[in-house]
Amino acid sequence: MPLVNPFKAVRPSRDKVGLIASRPYETYTKAQLEARLDNNPFSFLHIVNPGYKYHKEISGPQRFKLVKNRYDEFKEDGSFIQDKTANFYLHKIVYRKKIEFVGIVGAASVDDYENRIIRKHEDTISEKVEVYNDYLKTVRFNADPVLLTHPKNSKIEEIKQKMMKDRAEYEFTTTSRETHYLWLIKDKGDIKSIQEEFNKMSHFYIADGHHRTNSSISLRAAIAKENKKHTGKEAYNFFMSFLIPENQLQIFEFNRLVQSLNGLSKENFLIRLDEFFKIENRGQNYYKPGGKHRFSMYLDNEFYSLALRKNSYKFTDSLSQLDAQILFKTVLEPILGISDLRHDKRIKYVQGQKDMTYVKGAIDNGSYRVGFGLFPVTVQEMKRIADESLVMPPKTTYIDPKLRSGITIYEF
């Protein structure tokens, strides 16, 4: 079923990988970006922010061309090298010396995504996909793998364990206290075994990288149209992916902050909530939901627990059972008047690693009026949504691992 190919990665020289690898540039504050760009000439951020050397904001096609120029410069000066043979790459990430993610970097098939062998659980924004297509068509490389997940496989795990007994090609630690290791899987027998084991699986699931995956369809069509000798085996028929077993995924919730009560008094707001929830005032006692269909709420210096009244809410499919959807259908839309979860400026999403303490602080300082804490989605819930061709509300899952840019690069 799923097809995954080895490829000839472009990657940093061993002595520079720790300097080159970066988080996606949008995750840095302006001050952080400036510090890294000022003090580290090898950062991948110089490639994706090419206007920095000219002290100018550059966007659109001009930026894309400059990105390609900076990338070529890194190759020309030896900061990047390209493997002579097609390999799989074993990437291990250790968070805070205790949480490990071990996966295989390979090239997944665009056909498999089109045919729903690779399944999604999120929707994409067409404008964002179009911009990303234009970018990729100009630069002709991808430095950020899509995160795919699959059932644990004993044969693949045996190969991983065997590889990790040898010295890694890369070993470096970031300022975020992540340690990265990379091994090259060159042995033809191991490569064949990995491909065969992946091919036995029924489906892969996208954990992170829906826009990158979706853009691969139109990108492939555009490039193939220009290639009179198109065979379907060219590199643009695949996209770089980091494949890890589903038992390794860490899924956190996104909590919600809302600016107002939509004209309601506190008392009337609580009365409206009572239609769908059993409400308990917990005062100053910090509360975080301990299971599905339970929510925490912070309002006027007090924590509340909300337990769904199941006789007041109808479950119709996997989406309707999702806590983010329940909160939307019972509170955000009918009571607080928020129908556009993606664009309404009155709502803010906070990754669960910041927990309800962050939510409390944002409300206590007057920036927001009320906050809601959710219980994290499980892998099985995510898979059911994908299997039923449904999509989760925006900002339902925050998934680790988060991958660094520039460690392996896929050219097409």
Side-chain angles (χ1 to χ4, degrees):
M1 293 286 286
L3 173 63
V4 184
N5 283 342
F7 67 99
K8 299 176 182 178
V10 174
R11 52 190 181 82
S13 58
R14 190 202 291 257
D15 61 317
K16 293 186 178 67
V17 63
L19 296 169
I20 289 175
S22 73
R23 303 199 313 266
Y25 76 91
E26 66 271 11
T27 66
Y28 292 94
T29 65
K30 183 178 180 180
Q32 289 173 332
L33 271 175
E34 290 180 352
R36 282 159 175 76
L37 291 168
D38 284 342
N39 299 307
N40 180 4
F42 299 107
S43 173
F44 194 80
L45 294 170
H46 283 286
I47 294 176
V48 293
N49 292 268
Y52 190 77
K53 68 182 292 185
Y54 303 113
H55 307 289
K56 182 180 178 181
E57 289 285 337
I58 301 175
S59 60
Q62 186 181 34
R63 173 179 170 260
F64 303 162
K65 291 177 182 177
L66 288 177
V67 168
K68 182 65 164 63
N69 290 346
R70 296 291 87 75
Y71 174 68
D72 288 341
E73 289 170 6
F74 271 54
K75 291 175 69 177
E76 289 163 4
D77 69 17
S79 296
F80 282 138
I81 57 174
Q82 184 165 25
D83 289 319
K84 297 184 189 294
T85 60
N87 311 307
F88 283 126
Y89 300 86
L90 180 60
H91 190 170
K92 175 181 176 182
I93 308 170
V94 182
Y95 282 7
R96 298 174 293 279
K97 297 184 178 181
K98 58 182 179 180
I99 304 171
E100 293 188 359
F101 307 95
V102 184
I104 290 174
V105 181
S109 167
V110 176
D111 280 340
D112 285 348
Y113 179 61
E114 277 197 296
N115 296 327
R116 294 197 71 247
I117 294 171
I118 297 174
R119 296 186 171 179
K120 67 176 185 176
H121 67 268
E122 288 183 6
D123 221 342
T124 54
I125 303 171
S126 58
E127 295 88 348
K128 188 173 180 179
V129 170
E130 288 173 11
V131 171
Y132 195 63
N133 277 344
D134 293 339
Y135 168 78
L136 291 178
K137 194 174 179 183
T138 300
V139 302
R140 301 300 286 262
F141 71 83
N142 190 341
D144 301 288
V146 171
L147 181 61
L148 298 180
T149 188
H150 59 81
K152 185 176 180 180
N153 179 278
S154 59
K155 180 62 178 178
I156 293 177
E157 291 304 310
E158 286 176 13
I159 294 172
K160 290 179 182 178
Q161 293 303 317
K162 179 183 70 174
M163 292 297 304
M164 288 188 291
K165 291 178 182 178
D166 295 332
R167 180 192 179 194
E169 175 71 11
Y170 297 152
E171 179 181 351
F172 67 96
T173 300
T174 71
T175 54
S176 301
R177 300 181 185 275
E178 304 167 10
T179 302
H180 293 257
Y181 305 83
L182 190 82
W183 292 264
L184 277 60
I185 304 177
K186 297 179 178 181
D187 182 85
K188 291 183 179 180
D190 288 341
I191 290 173
K192 182 180 179 182
S193 293
I194 290 169
Q195 286 185 297
E196 289 175 347
E197 294 304 312
F198 280 143
N199 197 244
K200 292 176 184 177
M201 299 175 185
S202 59
H203 301 95
F204 293 153
Y205 294 86
I206 303 171
D208 196 14
H210 286 78
H211 284 89
R212 279 168 278 158
T213 311
N214 197 35
S215 70
S216 64
I217 296 176
S218 51
L219 180 70
R220 189 261 300 271
I223 299 176
K225 187 176 180 180
E226 298 172 355
N227 182 8
K228 295 180 179 180
K229 297 181 179 180
H230 172 79
T231 66
K233 296 182 179 180
E234 296 86 354
Y236 56 76
N237 294 285
F238 299 84
F239 56 94
M240 184 170 63
S241 300
F242 181 49
L243 299 106
I244 69 170
E246 59 191 39
N247 65 304
Q248 288 188 22
L249 278 186
Q250 282 205 321
I251 304 181
F252 299 90
E253 71 279 11
F254 267 100
N255 296 322
R256 275 78 168 129
L257 283 163
V258 182
Q259 287 183 345
S260 74
L261 297 184
N262 198 28
L264 296 171
S265 67
K266 173 184 173 180
E267 291 74 20
N268 286 336
F269 175 62
L270 290 172
I271 290 171
R272 292 286 303 274
L273 284 182
D274 194 80
E275 177 184 355
F276 290 102
F277 300 96
K278 178 182 177 182
I279 305 170
E280 183 178 346
N281 187 327
R282 294 177 177 262
Q284 293 298 307
N285 295 321
Y286 177 92
Y287 175 72
K288 183 173 182 177
K292 282 175 60 63
H293 308 334
R294 294 179 177 274
F295 304 84
S296 57
M297 182 175 74
Y298 186 74
L299 173 67
D300 278 357
N301 300 306
E302 293 179 314
F303 285 98
Y304 294 80
S305 61
L306 309 179
L308 182 67
R309 297 183 190 276
K310 294 183 180 179
N311 59 347
S312 300
Y313 181 87
K314 186 176 180 180
F315 296 127
T316 56
D317 55 22
S318 293
L319 179 61
S320 68
Q321 298 181 49
L322 208 62
D323 284 350
Q325 182 73 358
I326 292 170
L327 187 69
F328 173 59
K329 286 298 186 181
T330 60
V331 182
L332 298 178
E333 185 177 45
I335 300 177
L336 297 180
I338 297 173
S339 57
D340 186 347
L341 294 175
R342 197 180 294 278
H343 300 108
D344 198 311
K345 301 296 184 183
R346 292 172 295 169
I347 188 169
K348 178 182 177 180
Y349 303 95
V350 182
Q351 57 172 293
Q353 289 170 314
K354 292 184 177 179
D355 68 36
M356 288 298 289
T357 303
Y358 180 93
V359 171
K360 179 181 184 299
I363 293 170
D364 287 347
N365 68 23
S367 300
Y368 295 88
R369 185 75 170 88
V370 63
F372 301 94
L374 284 70
F375 189 73
V377 170
T378 66
V379 172
Q380 294 307 314
E381 285 180 296
M382 183 186 79
K383 290 171 64 175
R384 282 197 295 269
I385 292 288
D387 289 341
E388 295 177 26
S389 298
L390 301 170
V391 293
M392 295 182 179
K395 301 297 184 184
T396 297
T397 59
Y398 181 89
I399 296 179
D400 276 340
K402 296 297 181 189
L403 306 176
R404 294 259 158 176
S405 301
I407 298 176
T408 53
I409 298 173
Y410 182 76
E411 292 188 343
F412 49 87

